[in-house]
Amino acid sequence: MRWLLGLVLNALVLWMLSQLFSGFYLSSFFAALVAAFLLNILNWTVKPILTVLTLPITILTLGLFLFVISAVTLMLTSILMGSAFEISGFGTALLAAIIIALFQTFLINPIKNN
């Protein structure tokens, strides 16, 4: 049940980002739910592999390179979604990854853990 709550909250964050940034497009809230689901799957599968492969640069940047990895997973999600979810560039994806991480840390995780 917590996983489903986290999925809906992540979809809300994605939908909010699509309303704030012109380079971040979602066709509907259902597309946001599908994007959140795909993003969760990519975070479970691809992100750990990328983290291990880029461990030296992650250590050199004191963990800040993890935002780049999160931006890559967002870009992969937009590629998988096609025209329903589009990100205009890597800078937009990086900014969105940082905002998503802040929402995860301060809002979504405390709500899911209660």
Side-chain angles (χ1 to χ4, degrees):
M1 190 65 169
R2 289 181 184 180
W3 181 79
L4 186 61
L5 177 64
L7 183 72
V8 171
L9 290 174
N10 280 330
L12 285 171
V13 171
L14 289 174
W15 182 252
M16 180 205 62
L17 288 172
S18 73
Q19 301 302 311
L20 287 175
F21 299 117
S22 60
F24 198 92
Y25 170 76
L26 278 163
S27 61
S28 65
F29 187 72
F30 179 73
L33 281 171
V34 174
F37 179 74
L38 285 174
L39 189 60
N40 279 342
I41 290 173
L42 288 174
N43 281 339
W44 288 341
T45 57
V46 175
K47 192 173 182 178
I49 295 168
L50 291 176
T51 302
V52 169
L53 290 175
T54 61
L55 193 59
I57 195 164
T58 302
I59 292 171
L60 282 174
T61 61
L62 302 174
L64 292 176
F65 195 74
L66 292 173
F67 289 124
V68 173
I69 294 172
S70 294
V72 168
T73 58
L74 269 173
M75 295 293 285
L76 286 172
T77 303
S78 74
I79 290 169
L80 291 172
M81 291 279 299
S83 63
F85 178 39
E86 295 176 358
I87 300 175
S88 65
F90 188 75
T92 305
L94 185 62
L95 184 60
I98 292 170
I99 293 171
I100 290 169
L102 288 172
F103 271 93
Q104 282 282 337
T105 302
F106 295 113
L107 291 177
I108 296 173
N109 287 340
I111 290 172
K112 279 177 36 180
N113 291 333
N114 284 335

mmCIF file of all heavy atoms in Angstrom, residues 46-88:
data_model
loop_
_atom_site.group_PDB
_atom_site.id
_atom_site.type_symbol
_atom_site.label_atom_id
_atom_site.label_comp_id
_atom_site.label_asym_id
_atom_site.label_seq_id
_atom_site.Cartn_x
_atom_site.Cartn_y
_atom_site.Cartn_z
ATOM 1 N N VAL A 46 17.960 0.041 -13.519
ATOM 2 C CA VAL A 46 19.054 0.711 -14.227
ATOM 3 C C VAL A 46 19.903 1.572 -13.301
ATOM 4 O O VAL A 46 21.132 1.599 -13.429
ATOM 5 C CB VAL A 46 18.478 1.551 -15.394
ATOM 6 C CG1 VAL A 46 19.552 2.354 -16.078
ATOM 7 C CG2 VAL A 46 17.754 0.650 -16.377
ATOM 8 N N LYS A 47 19.268 2.278 -12.375
ATOM 9 C CA LYS A 47 20.002 3.207 -11.520
ATOM 10 C C LYS A 47 21.107 2.540 -10.689
ATOM 11 O O LYS A 47 22.211 3.093 -10.604
ATOM 12 C CB LYS A 47 19.029 3.978 -10.620
ATOM 13 C CG LYS A 47 19.674 5.147 -9.926
ATOM 14 C CD LYS A 47 18.634 5.977 -9.200
ATOM 15 C CE LYS A 47 19.277 7.170 -8.542
ATOM 16 N NZ LYS A 47 18.298 8.021 -7.877
ATOM 17 N N PRO A 48 20.879 1.363 -10.094
ATOM 18 C CA PRO A 48 21.989 0.733 -9.355
ATOM 19 C C PRO A 48 23.171 0.370 -10.260
ATOM 20 O O PRO A 48 24.328 0.509 -9.859
ATOM 21 C CB PRO A 48 21.363 -0.527 -8.755
ATOM 22 C CG PRO A 48 19.917 -0.250 -8.702
ATOM 23 C CD PRO A 48 19.624 0.642 -9.858
ATOM 24 N N ILE A 49 22.879 -0.065 -11.479
ATOM 25 C CA ILE A 49 23.959 -0.400 -12.413
ATOM 26 C C ILE A 49 24.749 0.851 -12.774
ATOM 27 O O ILE A 49 25.994 0.847 -12.759
ATOM 28 C CB ILE A 49 23.375 -1.082 -13.672
ATOM 29 C CG1 ILE A 49 22.741 -2.416 -13.298
ATOM 30 C CG2 ILE A 49 24.450 -1.272 -14.741
ATOM 31 C CD1 ILE A 49 21.884 -3.024 -14.391
ATOM 32 N N LEU A 50 24.061 1.941 -13.090
ATOM 33 C CA LEU A 50 24.740 3.193 -13.406
ATOM 34 C C LEU A 50 25.529 3.730 -12.216
ATOM 35 O O LEU A 50 26.611 4.286 -12.378
ATOM 36 C CB LEU A 50 23.729 4.240 -13.882
ATOM 37 C CG LEU A 50 23.079 4.013 -15.237
ATOM 38 C CD1 LEU A 50 22.040 5.085 -15.513
ATOM 39 C CD2 LEU A 50 24.128 3.984 -16.332
ATOM 40 N N THR A 51 24.988 3.550 -11.027
ATOM 41 C CA THR A 51 25.685 4.017 -9.826
ATOM 42 C C THR A 51 26.995 3.262 -9.630
ATOM 43 O O THR A 51 28.024 3.871 -9.318
ATOM 44 C CB THR A 51 24.779 3.862 -8.594
ATOM 45 O OG1 THR A 51 23.567 4.595 -8.814
ATOM 46 C CG2 THR A 51 25.459 4.378 -7.342
ATOM 47 N N VAL A 52 26.980 1.958 -9.830
ATOM 48 C CA VAL A 52 28.206 1.168 -9.686
ATOM 49 C C VAL A 52 29.215 1.526 -10.778
ATOM 50 O O VAL A 52 30.411 1.665 -10.509
ATOM 51 C CB VAL A 52 27.881 -0.343 -9.693
ATOM 52 C CG1 VAL A 52 29.141 -1.175 -9.819
ATOM 53 C CG2 VAL A 52 27.120 -0.719 -8.436
ATOM 54 N N LEU A 53 28.728 1.701 -11.995
ATOM 55 C CA LEU A 53 29.631 2.015 -13.102
ATOM 56 C C LEU A 53 30.273 3.395 -12.961
ATOM 57 O O LEU A 53 31.391 3.608 -13.431
ATOM 58 C CB LEU A 53 28.892 1.925 -14.435
ATOM 59 C CG LEU A 53 28.493 0.530 -14.891
ATOM 60 C CD1 LEU A 53 27.666 0.600 -16.165
ATOM 61 C CD2 LEU A 53 29.724 -0.338 -15.103
ATOM 62 N N THR A 54 29.576 4.318 -12.331
ATOM 63 C CA THR A 54 30.103 5.677 -12.183
ATOM 64 C C THR A 54 30.556 5.978 -10.759
ATOM 65 O O THR A 54 30.647 7.142 -10.378
ATOM 66 C CB THR A 54 29.023 6.703 -12.593
ATOM 67 O OG1 THR A 54 27.884 6.546 -11.738
ATOM 68 C CG2 THR A 54 28.635 6.531 -14.046
ATOM 69 N N LEU A 55 30.868 4.943 -10.005
ATOM 70 C CA LEU A 55 31.245 5.128 -8.603
ATOM 71 C C LEU A 55 32.441 6.069 -8.402
ATOM 72 O O LEU A 55 32.396 6.928 -7.514
ATOM 73 C CB LEU A 55 31.503 3.771 -7.941
ATOM 74 C CG LEU A 55 31.604 3.772 -6.429
ATOM 75 C CD1 LEU A 55 30.330 4.317 -5.800
ATOM 76 C CD2 LEU A 55 31.863 2.368 -5.927
ATOM 77 N N PRO A 56 33.513 5.962 -9.205
ATOM 78 C CA PRO A 56 34.633 6.890 -8.981
ATOM 79 C C PRO A 56 34.251 8.366 -9.132
ATOM 80 O O PRO A 56 34.622 9.193 -8.298
ATOM 81 C CB PRO A 56 35.652 6.485 -10.050
ATOM 82 C CG PRO A 56 35.334 5.070 -10.360
ATOM 83 C CD PRO A 56 33.860 4.949 -10.205
ATOM 84 N N ILE A 57 33.480 8.694 -10.161
ATOM 85 C CA ILE A 57 33.085 10.101 -10.334
ATOM 86 C C ILE A 57 32.074 10.523 -9.277
ATOM 87 O O ILE A 57 32.053 11.672 -8.855
ATOM 88 C CB ILE A 57 32.569 10.369 -11.762
ATOM 89 C CG1 ILE A 57 32.516 11.868 -12.013
ATOM 90 C CG2 ILE A 57 31.233 9.744 -12.006
ATOM 91 C CD1 ILE A 57 32.388 12.250 -13.456
ATOM 92 N N THR A 58 31.259 9.588 -8.819
ATOM 93 C CA THR A 58 30.310 9.897 -7.747
ATOM 94 C C THR A 58 31.059 10.220 -6.461
ATOM 95 O O THR A 58 30.688 11.156 -5.735
ATOM 96 C CB THR A 58 29.344 8.717 -7.528
ATOM 97 O OG1 THR A 58 28.668 8.448 -8.757
ATOM 98 C CG2 THR A 58 28.324 9.033 -6.454
ATOM 99 N N ILE A 59 32.109 9.476 -6.179
ATOM 100 C CA ILE A 59 32.925 9.749 -4.986
ATOM 101 C C ILE A 59 33.636 11.079 -5.127
ATOM 102 O O ILE A 59 33.690 11.871 -4.175
ATOM 103 C CB ILE A 59 33.911 8.593 -4.738
ATOM 104 C CG1 ILE A 59 33.134 7.346 -4.317
ATOM 105 C CG2 ILE A 59 34.937 8.974 -3.681
ATOM 106 C CD1 ILE A 59 33.971 6.091 -4.254
ATOM 107 N N LEU A 60 34.190 11.364 -6.321
ATOM 108 C CA LEU A 60 34.896 12.633 -6.541
ATOM 109 C C LEU A 60 33.975 13.839 -6.389
ATOM 110 O O LEU A 60 34.410 14.895 -5.926
ATOM 111 C CB LEU A 60 35.530 12.658 -7.932
ATOM 112 C CG LEU A 60 36.828 11.877 -8.089
ATOM 113 C CD1 LEU A 60 37.260 11.866 -9.544
ATOM 114 C CD2 LEU A 60 37.912 12.478 -7.218
ATOM 115 N N THR A 61 32.726 13.692 -6.771
ATOM 116 C CA THR A 61 31.782 14.810 -6.668
ATOM 117 C C THR A 61 30.993 14.790 -5.363
ATOM 118 O O THR A 61 30.020 15.546 -5.227
ATOM 119 C CB THR A 61 30.799 14.794 -7.855
ATOM 120 O OG1 THR A 61 30.058 13.575 -7.827
ATOM 121 C CG2 THR A 61 31.523 14.968 -9.164
ATOM 122 N N LEU A 62 31.397 13.934 -4.446
ATOM 123 C CA LEU A 62 30.752 13.809 -3.140
ATOM 124 C C LEU A 62 29.260 13.476 -3.253
ATOM 125 O O LEU A 62 28.425 13.952 -2.492
ATOM 126 C CB LEU A 62 30.952 15.072 -2.305
ATOM 127 C CG LEU A 62 32.412 15.480 -2.052
ATOM 128 C CD1 LEU A 62 32.484 16.806 -1.338
ATOM 129 C CD2 LEU A 62 33.142 14.394 -1.286
ATOM 130 N N GLY A 63 28.936 12.662 -4.242
ATOM 131 C CA GLY A 63 27.576 12.188 -4.408
ATOM 132 C C GLY A 63 26.698 13.036 -5.305
ATOM 133 O O GLY A 63 25.574 12.646 -5.618
ATOM 134 N N LEU A 64 27.174 14.199 -5.735
ATOM 135 C CA LEU A 64 26.346 15.062 -6.569
ATOM 136 C C LEU A 64 26.087 14.467 -7.950
ATOM 137 O O LEU A 64 25.110 14.816 -8.607
ATOM 138 C CB LEU A 64 26.985 16.444 -6.706
ATOM 139 C CG LEU A 64 27.006 17.276 -5.430
ATOM 140 C CD1 LEU A 64 27.735 18.580 -5.662
ATOM 141 C CD2 LEU A 64 25.594 17.537 -4.939
ATOM 142 N N PHE A 65 26.953 13.545 -8.394
ATOM 143 C CA PHE A 65 26.749 12.909 -9.693
ATOM 144 C C PHE A 65 25.507 12.029 -9.696
ATOM 145 O O PHE A 65 24.983 11.696 -10.761
ATOM 146 C CB PHE A 65 27.991 12.090 -10.092
ATOM 147 C CG PHE A 65 28.009 11.714 -11.538
ATOM 148 C CD1 PHE A 65 28.298 12.655 -12.503
ATOM 149 C CD2 PHE A 65 27.725 10.420 -11.932
ATOM 150 C CE1 PHE A 65 28.310 12.322 -13.840
ATOM 151 C CE2 PHE A 65 27.730 10.066 -13.266
ATOM 152 C CZ PHE A 65 28.015 11.030 -14.223
ATOM 153 N N LEU A 66 24.997 11.684 -8.526
ATOM 154 C CA LEU A 66 23.761 10.906 -8.453
ATOM 155 C C LEU A 66 22.581 11.667 -9.049
ATOM 156 O O LEU A 66 21.641 11.061 -9.567
ATOM 157 C CB LEU A 66 23.465 10.497 -7.011
ATOM 158 C CG LEU A 66 24.443 9.491 -6.402
ATOM 159 C CD1 LEU A 66 24.145 9.302 -4.923
ATOM 160 C CD2 LEU A 66 24.375 8.178 -7.146
ATOM 161 N N PHE A 67 22.634 13.003 -8.999
ATOM 162 C CA PHE A 67 21.597 13.795 -9.663
ATOM 163 C C PHE A 67 21.656 13.607 -11.172
ATOM 164 O O PHE A 67 20.622 13.583 -11.841
ATOM 165 C CB PHE A 67 21.733 15.281 -9.316
ATOM 166 C CG PHE A 67 21.351 15.605 -7.894
ATOM 167 C CD1 PHE A 67 22.249 16.244 -7.066
ATOM 168 C CD2 PHE A 67 20.105 15.282 -7.389
ATOM 169 C CE1 PHE A 67 21.917 16.549 -5.759
ATOM 170 C CE2 PHE A 67 19.755 15.581 -6.078
ATOM 171 C CZ PHE A 67 20.667 16.220 -5.274
ATOM 172 N N VAL A 68 22.862 13.482 -11.712
ATOM 173 C CA VAL A 68 23.016 13.237 -13.148
ATOM 174 C C VAL A 68 22.433 11.876 -13.503
ATOM 175 O O VAL A 68 21.742 11.729 -14.524
ATOM 176 C CB VAL A 68 24.508 13.345 -13.555
ATOM 177 C CG1 VAL A 68 24.710 12.937 -14.995
ATOM 178 C CG2 VAL A 68 25.023 14.754 -13.313
ATOM 179 N N ILE A 69 22.676 10.882 -12.669
ATOM 180 C CA ILE A 69 22.124 9.548 -12.910
ATOM 181 C C ILE A 69 20.595 9.592 -12.850
ATOM 182 O O ILE A 69 19.912 8.979 -13.669
ATOM 183 C CB ILE A 69 22.710 8.530 -11.909
ATOM 184 C CG1 ILE A 69 24.206 8.358 -12.165
ATOM 185 C CG2 ILE A 69 21.990 7.196 -11.997
ATOM 186 C CD1 ILE A 69 24.925 7.548 -11.137
ATOM 187 N N SER A 70 20.049 10.339 -11.909
ATOM 188 C CA SER A 70 18.596 10.489 -11.830
ATOM 189 C C SER A 70 18.045 11.193 -13.071
ATOM 190 O O SER A 70 16.975 10.840 -13.566
ATOM 191 C CB SER A 70 18.212 11.276 -10.581
ATOM 192 O OG SER A 70 18.532 10.553 -9.428
ATOM 193 N N ALA A 71 18.786 12.174 -13.573
ATOM 194 C CA ALA A 71 18.364 12.851 -14.801
ATOM 195 C C ALA A 71 18.394 11.892 -15.987
ATOM 196 O O ALA A 71 17.509 11.935 -16.851
ATOM 197 C CB ALA A 71 19.257 14.059 -15.070
ATOM 198 N N VAL A 72 19.372 11.005 -16.020
ATOM 199 C CA VAL A 72 19.445 10.009 -17.092
ATOM 200 C C VAL A 72 18.245 9.074 -17.021
ATOM 201 O O VAL A 72 17.644 8.744 -18.059
ATOM 202 C CB VAL A 72 20.782 9.229 -17.025
ATOM 203 C CG1 VAL A 72 20.759 8.014 -17.921
ATOM 204 C CG2 VAL A 72 21.943 10.141 -17.384
ATOM 205 N N THR A 73 17.859 8.653 -15.823
ATOM 206 C CA THR A 73 16.686 7.775 -15.709
ATOM 207 C C THR A 73 15.409 8.515 -16.116
ATOM 208 O O THR A 73 14.507 7.918 -16.701
ATOM 209 C CB THR A 73 16.538 7.185 -14.294
ATOM 210 O OG1 THR A 73 16.449 8.233 -13.343
ATOM 211 C CG2 THR A 73 17.686 6.263 -13.962
ATOM 212 N N LEU A 74 15.331 9.814 -15.835
ATOM 213 C CA LEU A 74 14.187 10.600 -16.301
ATOM 214 C C LEU A 74 14.161 10.667 -17.825
ATOM 215 O O LEU A 74 13.100 10.545 -18.443
ATOM 216 C CB LEU A 74 14.245 12.024 -15.739
ATOM 217 C CG LEU A 74 13.555 12.283 -14.428
ATOM 218 C CD1 LEU A 74 13.852 13.692 -13.939
ATOM 219 C CD2 LEU A 74 12.071 12.083 -14.543
ATOM 220 N N MET A 75 15.328 10.858 -18.434
ATOM 221 C CA MET A 75 15.401 10.904 -19.893
ATOM 222 C C MET A 75 15.022 9.549 -20.494
ATOM 223 O O MET A 75 14.322 9.493 -21.508
ATOM 224 C CB MET A 75 16.800 11.317 -20.352
ATOM 225 C CG MET A 75 17.206 12.718 -19.966
ATOM 226 S SD MET A 75 16.274 14.013 -20.774
ATOM 227 C CE MET A 75 16.977 13.973 -22.388
ATOM 228 N N LEU A 76 15.471 8.459 -19.858
ATOM 229 C CA LEU A 76 15.088 7.127 -20.329
ATOM 230 C C LEU A 76 13.574 6.915 -20.226
ATOM 231 O O LEU A 76 12.956 6.315 -21.111
ATOM 232 C CB LEU A 76 15.819 6.042 -19.539
ATOM 233 C CG LEU A 76 17.296 5.840 -19.845
ATOM 234 C CD1 LEU A 76 17.917 4.871 -18.845
ATOM 235 C CD2 LEU A 76 17.474 5.328 -21.261
ATOM 236 N N THR A 77 12.991 7.418 -19.157
ATOM 237 C CA THR A 77 11.542 7.316 -18.996
ATOM 238 C C THR A 77 10.824 8.071 -20.107
ATOM 239 O O THR A 77 9.853 7.564 -20.679
ATOM 240 C CB THR A 77 11.111 7.874 -17.626
ATOM 241 O OG1 THR A 77 11.803 7.168 -16.598
ATOM 242 C CG2 THR A 77 9.616 7.736 -17.419
ATOM 243 N N SER A 78 11.326 9.249 -20.439
ATOM 244 C CA SER A 78 10.678 10.020 -21.505
ATOM 245 C C SER A 78 10.841 9.336 -22.857
ATOM 246 O O SER A 78 9.937 9.393 -23.693
ATOM 247 C CB SER A 78 11.227 11.445 -21.557
ATOM 248 O OG SER A 78 12.514 11.485 -22.115
ATOM 249 N N ILE A 79 11.957 8.643 -23.077
ATOM 250 C CA ILE A 79 12.142 7.890 -24.321
ATOM 251 C C ILE A 79 11.156 6.730 -24.381
ATOM 252 O O ILE A 79 10.533 6.481 -25.419
ATOM 253 C CB ILE A 79 13.599 7.400 -24.437
ATOM 254 C CG1 ILE A 79 14.528 8.581 -24.679
ATOM 255 C CG2 ILE A 79 13.746 6.358 -25.537
ATOM 256 C CD1 ILE A 79 16.003 8.240 -24.548
ATOM 257 N N LEU A 80 10.981 6.026 -23.272
ATOM 258 C CA LEU A 80 10.055 4.898 -23.238
ATOM 259 C C LEU A 80 8.600 5.332 -23.391
ATOM 260 O O LEU A 80 7.785 4.604 -23.958
ATOM 261 C CB LEU A 80 10.221 4.108 -21.939
ATOM 262 C CG LEU A 80 11.525 3.330 -21.782
ATOM 263 C CD1 LEU A 80 11.620 2.757 -20.376
ATOM 264 C CD2 LEU A 80 11.616 2.235 -22.818
ATOM 265 N N MET A 81 8.262 6.506 -22.887
ATOM 266 C CA MET A 81 6.878 6.985 -22.927
ATOM 267 C C MET A 81 6.497 7.567 -24.283
ATOM 268 O O MET A 81 5.310 7.664 -24.598
ATOM 269 C CB MET A 81 6.653 8.056 -21.852
ATOM 270 C CG MET A 81 6.699 7.563 -20.441
ATOM 271 S SD MET A 81 5.196 6.802 -19.913
ATOM 272 C CE MET A 81 4.035 8.120 -20.056
ATOM 273 N N GLY A 82 7.458 7.982 -25.059
ATOM 274 C CA GLY A 82 7.155 8.565 -26.366
ATOM 275 C C GLY A 82 6.606 9.972 -26.244
ATOM 276 O O GLY A 82 7.096 10.786 -25.455
ATOM 277 N N SER A 83 5.567 10.269 -27.001
ATOM 278 C CA SER A 83 5.043 11.637 -27.046
ATOM 279 C C SER A 83 4.192 11.995 -25.821
ATOM 280 O O SER A 83 3.848 13.160 -25.635
ATOM 281 C CB SER A 83 4.220 11.837 -28.312
ATOM 282 O OG SER A 83 3.103 10.973 -28.299
ATOM 283 N N ALA A 84 3.863 11.039 -24.985
ATOM 284 C CA ALA A 84 3.066 11.331 -23.789
ATOM 285 C C ALA A 84 3.894 12.015 -22.700
ATOM 286 O O ALA A 84 3.347 12.691 -21.830
ATOM 287 C CB ALA A 84 2.453 10.051 -23.232
ATOM 288 N N PHE A 85 5.211 11.859 -22.747
ATOM 289 C CA PHE A 85 6.106 12.455 -21.753
ATOM 290 C C PHE A 85 7.365 12.905 -22.470
ATOM 291 O O PHE A 85 8.098 12.089 -22.997
ATOM 292 C CB PHE A 85 6.418 11.432 -20.661
ATOM 293 C CG PHE A 85 7.371 11.907 -19.589
ATOM 294 C CD1 PHE A 85 7.320 13.198 -19.100
ATOM 295 C CD2 PHE A 85 8.300 11.041 -19.055
ATOM 296 C CE1 PHE A 85 8.187 13.621 -18.104
ATOM 297 C CE2 PHE A 85 9.169 11.444 -18.051
ATOM 298 C CZ PHE A 85 9.110 12.739 -17.582
ATOM 299 N N GLU A 86 7.590 14.203 -22.498
ATOM 300 C CA GLU A 86 8.741 14.742 -23.200
ATOM 301 C C GLU A 86 9.504 15.699 -22.305
ATOM 302 O O GLU A 86 8.913 16.492 -21.575
ATOM 303 C CB GLU A 86 8.292 15.474 -24.470
ATOM 304 C CG GLU A 86 7.655 14.565 -25.493
ATOM 305 C CD GLU A 86 7.133 15.325 -26.697
ATOM 306 O OE1 GLU A 86 7.243 16.571 -26.721
ATOM 307 O OE2 GLU A 86 6.606 14.669 -27.605
ATOM 308 N N ILE A 87 10.824 15.596 -22.375
ATOM 309 C CA ILE A 87 11.714 16.519 -21.680
ATOM 310 C C ILE A 87 12.570 17.172 -22.747
ATOM 311 O O ILE A 87 13.184 16.487 -23.564
ATOM 312 C CB ILE A 87 12.584 15.783 -20.641
ATOM 313 C CG1 ILE A 87 11.711 15.094 -19.597
ATOM 314 C CG2 ILE A 87 13.524 16.758 -19.961
ATOM 315 C CD1 ILE A 87 12.475 14.246 -18.609
ATOM 316 N N SER A 88 12.629 18.500 -22.749
ATOM 317 C CA SER A 88 13.267 19.223 -23.845
ATOM 318 C C SER A 88 14.785 19.089 -23.866
ATOM 319 O O SER A 88 15.389 19.160 -24.921
ATOM 320 C CB SER A 88 12.886 20.702 -23.801
ATOM 321 O OG SER A 88 13.396 21.303 -22.638
#
